[in-house]
């Protein structure tokens, strides 16, 4: 395929409700539709992982100092209130930025927890978090919901984003 054909296909897939795409999708057998849905989900998840890696790289490049370059960034989980109750997602703030391959100790420590009002949490995220990174982390959590103790690792040299369970 030529580049122009990829662009045309991408535009068609981005608008699956157009008459042409609707007709094409209706003509596919159910097994093919299921396979297509799975491939699309995998591609979307990979795309959001790339957004996370790109935004973390931008953040790491903006850090002051002449020391070693960052190798990895880590995100911990946070509880989020939704209309359907509580869910666990990725915090939009980097928990650690390391210059080595060694994984830092990111275990939860014993602290006194205080509930943060929803408005206050949303304000903090709006004021201090990278909106593109925040959205990508929320989307990744929707694809693959983390458990409370999980850690998300972003390896900058390879742009690999992996969920780790200590």
């Amino acid at each position: 395929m030529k580049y122009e054909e990829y662009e045309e296909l991408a535009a068609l897939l981005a608008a699956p409700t157009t008459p042409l795409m609707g007709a094409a999708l209706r003509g596919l057998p159910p097994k093919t539709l299921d396979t297509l849905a799975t491939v699309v989900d995998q591609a979307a998840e990979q795309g959001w992982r790339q957004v996370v890696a790109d935004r973390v790289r931008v953040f790491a490049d903006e850090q002051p100092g002449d020391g070693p370059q960052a190798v990895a960034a880590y995100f911990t989980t946070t509880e989020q209130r939704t209309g359907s109750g509580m869910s666990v997602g990725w915090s939009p703030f980097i928990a650690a930025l390391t210059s080595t391959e060694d994984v830092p100790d990111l275990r939860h420590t014993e602290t006194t927890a205080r509930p943060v009002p929803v408005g206050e949490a949303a304000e903090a995220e709006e004021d201090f978090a990278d909106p593109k990174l925040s959205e990508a982390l929320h989307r990744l959590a929707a694809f693959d919901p983390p458990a409370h103790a999980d850690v998300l690792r972003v390896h900058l040299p390879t742009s690999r984003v992996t969920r780790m369970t200590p």
Side-chain angles (χ1 to χ4, degrees):
M1 281 182 113
K2 296 179 183 174
Y3 180 75
E4 295 81 20
E5 292 170 333
Y6 283 117
E7 281 188 328
E8 183 180 344
L9 178 59
L12 289 171
L13 290 173
T17 57
T18 62
L20 177 62
M21 281 304 292
L25 292 173
R26 280 191 299 276
L28 294 175
K31 185 174 181 177
T32 303
L33 287 171
D34 286 343
T35 301
L36 182 59
T38 300
V39 169
V40 168
D41 275 351
Q42 291 169 348
E45 183 177 357
Q46 187 55 40
W48 286 114
R49 287 178 184 278
Q50 189 59 53
V51 171
V52 168
D54 291 346
R55 298 310 303 164
V56 169
R57 186 172 289 104
V58 167
F59 176 80
D61 289 346
E62 292 174 346
Q63 298 308 300
D66 297 330
Q69 292 291 325
V71 171
Y74 298 87
F75 294 87
T76 55
T77 57
T78 184
E79 284 188 345
Q80 302 163 344
R81 277 190 214 140
T82 63
S84 60
M86 296 296 282
S87 67
V88 177
W90 298 114
S91 170
F93 304 104
I94 294 176
L97 191 62
T98 63
S99 58
T100 68
E101 297 283 342
D102 298 332
V103 178
D105 183 3
L106 296 170
R107 289 176 294 181
H108 293 284
T109 58
E110 289 186 35
T111 60
T112 302
R114 78 173 177 84
V116 176
V118 173
E120 189 177 315
E123 282 179 26
E125 187 172 324
E126 187 176 307
D127 290 343
F128 302 109
D130 175 335
K132 291 179 184 175
L133 175 60
S134 182
E135 179 183 10
L137 290 168
H138 289 309
R139 297 288 185 115
L140 282 181
F143 280 110
D144 187 15
H148 281 284
D150 288 350
V151 173
L152 192 70
R153 180 176 193 250
V154 180
H155 188 255
L156 295 171
T158 61
S159 294
R160 188 164 181 204
V161 178
T162 52
R163 185 174 92 178
M164 302 170 19
T165 302

